[in-house]
Amino acid sequence: MHILGAEFLDIFQGQIINLHPALPGQYPGTRAIQRAFEDGVERTGCMVHRVTLEVDVGEVLGVSEVEIKPTDSLEEVEARMHSAEHRLLVSVVEGMVKGVQALS
């Protein structure tokens, strides 16, 4: 996990994506899964977004919701989140590749 600086982002403007374990506008930064769990929310999720100077607020490219059950442990929520993240990232990247191929 790294926060990229302006010089680097200027070179690759709009070309860097990030997978974040929270829904847009919720729990930016670190420990997002743990914070959602501790807040007792019923739903959280993950998103893939374009990286900007501001952490976890770039253009959203995909979202997947994740349920937090009342009987869940943090480890169970983390496992469910990671599974959702893997599916979402593959789906978003596949869509990006197909979009690029369509332009050729």
Side-chain angles (χ1 to χ4, degrees), residues 38-70:
E38 289 172 352
D39 281 352
V41 298
E42 293 178 4
R43 296 195 89 57
T44 186
C46 52
M47 67 173 170
V48 174
H49 66 90
R50 293 194 191 280
V51 173
T52 63
L53 279 175
E54 195 173 345
V55 175
D56 299 325
V57 298
E59 174 193 1
V60 176
L61 303 173
V63 172
S64 180
E65 288 194 359
V66 174
E67 180 182 14
I68 299 179
K69 301 172 187 173

Side-chain angles (χ1 to χ4, degrees), residues 83-96:
S83 178
E85 286 177 320
H86 297 161
R87 289 189 308 272
L88 178 62
L89 184 58
V90 169
S91 175
V92 168
V93 171
E94 182 180 63
M96 293 173 80

Side-chain angles (χ1 to χ4, degrees), residues 18-23 26-30 32 35 45-49 56 81 85:
N18 182 51
L19 175 61
H20 183 65
L23 295 172
Q26 298 180 355
Y27 306 108
T30 62
R35 293 184 314 182
C46 52
M47 67 173 170
V48 174
H49 66 90
D56 299 325
M81 179 70 76
E85 286 177 320

